[in-house]
Amino acid sequence: MIQRAAGLRVAILTDETGWHTRELLRALREHGCTGRCVDLAHCRMDTTHAWHGLVLPGFGQALPDAAIVRGIAGGSFEQVTRRLGVLHALRECGVPVYNDARAIERSVDKSMTSVLLHAAGVPTPPTWTMESPAAAQQLVHRESAAGHSLVLKPLFGSQGAGLQRVGWVDGAHVPLPALDGAYGQVAHLQRFLPPLTHPGHDFRVLVIGGHAFAAMRRVSEHWVHNVAQGARCEPQALADGPGPELARLAEAATRALDLDYAGVDLLPTREGAQVIEVNGVAAWQGLQRVTRASIAQALVRDLLERKCAGRERRLQA
C-alpha cells in the first residue's frame, strides 16, 4: 500500500511551522510523498476557480491528495467557521483529511468531548457547562459544601492555559470568577481529581489509527500537568503496570470522538484512570523525547495505509 502512495501531494494544514511540521515533511519524503505547509487562513473559496471551488496556495487548480491538520489559528467566530468550512469541503470533495473537521469540532469543544465520553461509558470526571453565571455559581457553592474542588476551563483552551480551581480549595471556599476573557461567558467546570502521589502526575496516551501507540507520564509539582506549563516527561510502558488499562481507555475515548489520531489525557484515581481531555490536534514533541519509534512516521504511515488506501479502494469500486 505504501508503494502506491509514492508521488502523493499532501497538504499539512498549519498556522505555524516548526519542529512538528519538519518531522511530518521528513516522514512524507521518506515515503516518496511531497508535503506542503498551508495556512487555512490563506485558503479561500472561489467557485470560478475550479470544479471544487477551493483555492489552496501551492496547489493551483488541483486539490491535495490528502491533508494532515496540524493547527488551526484562532480568530473570530466567522474566521474559525470558514477555516473549518475548508476542511469540510475537502472531505466532501473526496480528500482524506487527518483529522477531519467533524472530529476536530468534537474534540476542540471540551463540553462535547465530555458528553460523548459519558455517553460511551468512558470514565471521566463529572462535568458541567452552562452560560448562566448564577447557575454556575450555585453549582460551585453546592460542590464546595460537599468538599469538592472544581476546575474552571476555557471551553476551547489548550496546553493548560486559563485553568483555575474553584469551590473547596485547600480548606477554603473559592468563588467562581468573572466569565469574561478566555472563558467567553461560558462556565465549563470539571470536578478536580486530587493527586495520589507527590509530585502528582497524569498520563498522555497517543492513539493512532485506533491503537495506542505510545504513552508518557507528565510529572509536576503543580496540579496542572501540561508540558507547556513545566511538567517533565517520563516514559510509560503500555504493556505492563497501568499501561493496558490506559491503552484501553484511550482507544475507547478516541473511538467515542471518531478521531484518526488523538492525544488522550488521563488521571489516576483509586478507582482507576479517568479520561480528562482528548486532543484532536495533539502535539507530540514531549512524547517523542521518551519514545523510541518515530511518531511522525507512524502518523504518516496510518494516513497512507488506511485513509489514502481506503479512498483508492472506493474510487476503484
Side-chain angles (χ1 to χ4, degrees), residues 15-58:
D15 57 322
E16 59 181 24
T17 57
W19 183 86
H20 288 88
T21 53
R22 288 194 299 271
E23 289 288 295
L24 289 170
L25 289 168
R26 182 183 300 113
L28 287 166
R29 284 196 302 270
E30 291 176 2
H31 287 295
C33 301
T34 301
R36 184 181 185 91
C37 294
V38 178
D39 191 334
L40 281 167
H42 299 156
C43 300
R44 66 183 190 274
M45 281 83 159
D46 181 351
T47 58
T48 69
H49 177 70
W51 69 266
H52 46 75
L54 294 172
V55 183
L56 275 67

Side-chain angles (χ1 to χ4, degrees), residues 40 45 80 129 144 216 229 257 285 301:
L40 281 167
M45 281 83 159
V80 173
T129 309
S144 182
M216 65 178 173
Q229 302 297 323
L257 274 67
Q285 189 169 12
R301 190 178 303 113

Side-chain angles (χ1 to χ4, degrees), residues 99-115:
N99 286 301
D100 71 22
R102 299 173 306 168
I104 290 173
E105 288 166 349
R106 285 188 287 264
S107 63
V108 76
D109 177 351
K110 290 183 175 63
S111 62
M112 178 59 72
T113 297
S114 295
V115 166

